Amino acid sequence: MPFETAFLATVLPELILLATACAVLVLDLYLNDEQRGWNHNLAILGLAATLGTVGLLSNNGVTIAFSGSFIRDPFGDLLKGIILILTIFTFVYSRDYMRERGLWVGEYHVLVLFATLGMLIMVSAHSFLTLYLGLELLALCLYPLVAFDRDSKPGAEAAMKYFVLGALGSGMLLYGISMLYGATGSFGFADVAEVVNAEGLENKILVFGLVFVLIGVAFKFGAVPFHMWLPDVYQGAPMPVVLFLASAPKIAAFAMATRILIDSLGALQADWGEILMILAILSIGLGNVVAIAQTNIKRMLAYSTISHVGFIFLGLLAGTQEGYAAAMFYTVVYALMAAGAFGVLAMISINGLEVEQLDDLKGLNDRDAWLAAMLALMMFSMAGVPPAVGFFAKLLVLDAVVSVGLTWLAVVAVVFSIIGAFYYLRVIKLLYFDKAADSTPLRLAGDAKIAITVNGLAVLLLGIFPASLLGICNAAFSG
Amino acid sequence: MIDFPWLTLTIWLPIFGGIGVLVSGDKTDRKSGPEFTKRLALGVAVATFLVSLPLWFGFDASQAGMQFVEHAPWVPSFDVYYFLGVDGISMPLIILTTFITIFVVVAGWDVISYRPSLYMAAFLIMEGVMVGVFSALDAILFYVFWEAMLIPMFIVIGIWGGPNRVYATIKFFLYTFFGSVFMLVALIYMYFQSGSFSILDYHALALGMKAQILIFIAFLLAFAVKVPMFPVHTWLPDAHVEAPTGGSVILAAIMLKIGGYGFLRFSLPITPDASAALDGLMIALSLIAIVYIGFVALVQKDMKKLIAYSSIAHMGFVTLGFFLVFSIFRQPEVSTGAVMGIEGGMVQMISHGFISGALFLCVGVLYDRLHSREIADYGGVINVMPWFGGFVVFFAMANAGLPGTSGFVGELMVILASFRADFWYAFLAATTLILAAAFTLWMVKRVIFGEVGNDRVAGLKDLNRRETFNLGMLAAAVLAIGLWPKPLIDVMEPTIENLVAQIQISKLPGNDPALANQPEVPLKP
């Protein structure tokens, strides 16, 4: 298929974001330290414009462009929208933190924007090549972001670890992709799906490729036993970077898993379902148990992430439309909760305080009751206590698992979520029941407060009225 | 009148009212701030009680089905509905909830100085959520309310509790959470068997024995923790001792009843065969609670702990009454007693709600003055607080089951029913009359009567206006049910007769002609 100008309209959101990133890059050269705010404003403006374009272009149909390597569909539109919103949240939450530490420079915005662009490309990938390009664009931006505070030793160590292990994960993925290419003769998801449907398990190379691709996916998600990088990176990176890392890329990783496993390897569901089951049980178990032992809040939330990844896998492995929709619901909800939780942590890490240990949260309720309430809401939501939306996410996943006859798996999952409830409660205990060493009220920027309010209300209202988001998730998989 | 959504109003008025109270805030720089907040909270509580009254007066006591039904889509793609309704079992419990909350608000009036708005809001929101638990007929809606109830109580105990509050509140939360998640899996499992989340559809669902046993155990974990039954009762004394007075009142008066309600709404009608098979276990656990916990209560040095253990023993009576029915069914020559056992359990729940609430308020009165709950720190209180002493003696008598008080009615009904079932059940159950008299009256003797214990006791002031109002209203309720229980029993009778008829029919596939054409439902591996 030759190049058509119409293709450009399909990728308009990505083009706008690319233009924004380049504009910030250039603009930053002409700004002095007083004027850095323009980077921030321009980045948010660009993200908002991209979001608007995604909204304008979205319809119920499917557009495939660039010789079948790029796809625009309702599924992708929703995930892109959420990614863009989360990126805007990231910028708003992180401004005061980065400015106070002298890290509020143009490179920060440029790297985050390029990473976001990588995610959008991943979400819209319709061939392994596009997917890999998006993934690497994301990963290569995240490595420097983790080490963004260049005087921080743990930061440098974390970035090194992340780089080495991330490269290993990408290598696995690439190896698997090359196997799949060998077996099918194509990179396109549609073409691979065709061959897989015809040959299935008969073709051993396909199975081989599947395993390696799956390892790559598990690496990017941070599922046990490919989770080793996650706690270290969370601990070493600056809080806003963790906030970014924990929220939007999970959505991109989910899109990657869906595109690969369902769109192209859907016929092998029985095989990857079993692998995912093992990964899911290990992740839920290890994540929840190890999180209890953590005293560092970032590490604790890292292990909590691992357990949530297990729940996302539970939804996927059910292999039904409801299961996929449940996993998507869970991913979106998890990203919202992570953004909110790390957002609060980034917001209170000001005036020289760096929130690292759990004890740093003591008595937050007396310092800023609203922020404490928001963080408590996120914790209840992560623990799966209604009426927060985390409950519905868990319910849908459990429902999907029981529907395919795996009731025992649901029981295992709930047993570990009881264990998990303890460490979330401990955070709430620190917020509300302990007294702060320094109880001066916090003074916070207005826009960050608005953002956290929107974020928190979303978690609460989606829990009370989950029908809308669930409807979109169902629609994404029914087409 | 029936068409008006009274249930929705009773649930959401206190929740939004609570949010309003929270927003009204307690600015310390504004002199009128806290006073306004408290008045607003009291207004919301009274208004909620008033809007719950139509449920009683508009209730058609002649029919057994659900009334005041509201049915609206909530998450239609997931078959979850906003489905509310009350019958003779849940309606009295809702009235109890809205009634007791008023006294909780009043009791916190002078005592709570740290953030009263948050305190009052927590109780109001809890009230709405508990009414939701009693009225939800959709399993997921029920579960949402059931779990959401934990959050305010967790916060109340954790913020305003005693020195060991953090341990107590986390234990409380985790115990309850542990019990309930298995119930969630059971509810989801039954959704795939029945194709609906409606609890009424669950009642008509045929289930194999193995499935019934597993579901029964899942429910048992949830409800036994809540009731609480021996041996999962250990959270209750901790929670009670550490909780502020209002928290203890709500816990004892209402939250425990939610466990008993669960048995009637879920365990008995959904898994009658499993309940029949395991009734020996349930009766044994109930009798252990009555006798053993009664002895444990006897040796307590802390007044709140004593009342907490007394609550466990009294709730043992409730579960005994509920599970007696199966041994009555097994004796063809006995025709009556099944309905009486369950009714007795229900009356006992309502009555215990008033009495235990009142007793905790009494302890609160003393604690607010001297900041001690130790029995040994008091003595001869009646000499300085004659009114208070009178109330304590009255409620203690009621707790011991004195005829003329509500405590007598429920216990008598359960003991009568247990005579029909087995003499030894009745014999053991009746020991509670002695034990309860012993531990309550002994406490009264040491705290209220005798010489004035020490100088601090000598300086005590008698009840103030608000405390007199609280205890007086509760005393009136205890007397009303004790002297004239007929209206209460009339309301429950058709529903409970219907329930008894329903659980007599086996739900094993093939046993019942109505269910015979349903396929065997094997439990999936």
Side-chain angles (χ1 to χ4, degrees), chain B residues 25-103:
Chain B
D26 30 36
K27 298 271 189 302
T28 41
D29 52 318
R30 204 158 23 113
K31 196 88 173 130
S32 63
E35 202 60 27
F36 171 75
T37 300
K38 292 169 189 166
R39 287 205 178 135
L40 182 64
L42 182 61
V44 172
V46 171
T48 310
F49 176 62
L50 291 179
V51 299
S52 72
L53 283 181
L55 298 175
W56 176 279
F57 292 113
F59 191 82
D60 179 2
S62 63
Q63 56 157 305
M66 289 295 165
Q67 304 182 27
F68 297 97
V69 172
E70 294 170 36
H71 196 276
W74 181 22
V75 194
S77 61
F78 192 50
D79 292 331
V80 175
Y81 292 88
Y82 180 75
F83 185 16
L84 302 175
V86 289
D87 60 6
I89 296 171
S90 47
M91 191 274 287
L93 292 167
I94 291 178
I95 307 284
L96 175 72
T97 309
T98 56
F99 185 63
I100 294 286
T101 305
I102 299 178
F103 308 120

Side-chain angles (χ1 to χ4, degrees), chain A residues 365-366 369 380 383 385-386 391-392 395-396 398-399 403 405 408 415 418 421 425 428-429 433 464 466-467 470 474, chain B residues 74-75 77-78 114-115 140 143-144 147-148 151 154 158-159 165-166 169 173 177-178 181-182 188 191-192 524-525:
Chain A
N365 184 38
D366 292 332
F380 276 125
V385 181
F391 162 70
F392 259 98
L395 173 67
L396 292 169
L398 293 178
D399 185 79
S403 78
W408 66 269
V415 167
I418 301 165
L425 287 184
I428 297 165
K429 171 221 152 201
F433 309 158
I464 299 174
L470 182 61
N474 275 327
Chain B
W74 181 22
V75 194
S77 61
F78 192 50
Y114 177 77
R115 303 198 51 157
I140 296 302
Y143 189 83
V144 167
E147 288 273 347
I151 299 177
F154 176 75
I159 295 187
R165 60 189 192 278
V166 172
T169 196
F173 193 101
F177 197 62
F178 167 81
V181 289
F182 295 102
I188 296 175
Y191 166 64
F192 286 106
K524 287 174 181 154

Side-chain angles (χ1 to χ4, degrees), chain A residues 136-258:
Chain A
E136 284 305 282
L137 181 54
L138 168 66
L140 287 172
C141 293
L142 288 180
Y143 303 140
L145 275 173
V146 169
F148 205 72
D149 185 0
R150 61 176 157 195
D151 299 328
S152 154
K153 261 173 133 176
E157 184 193 323
M160 202 59 211
K161 243 179 209 162
Y162 189 25
F163 177 70
V164 171
L165 289 175
L168 192 64
S170 298
M172 296 273 190
L173 182 68
L174 209 52
Y175 190 58
I177 291 173
S178 66
M179 291 282 176
L180 292 181
Y181 181 73
T184 62
S186 169
F187 281 127
F189 288 156
D191 304 331
V192 172
E194 221 168 90
V195 179
V196 171
N197 285 337
E199 296 185 12
L201 278 183
E202 297 304 304
N203 194 334
K204 289 291 169 221
I205 302 178
L206 265 183
V207 182
F208 210 51
L210 167 73
V211 171
F212 278 99
V213 167
L214 210 52
I215 291 175
V217 171
F219 246 117
K220 296 299 163 191
F221 260 117
V224 179
F226 310 105
H227 66 288
M228 303 306 290
W229 59 274
L230 208 96
D232 292 334
V233 168
Y234 276 34
Q235 188 182 9
M239 194 65 87
V241 175
V242 184
L243 154 66
F244 183 59
L245 197 71
S247 53
K250 290 285 174 284
I251 292 186
F254 174 76
M256 169 167 95
T258 316

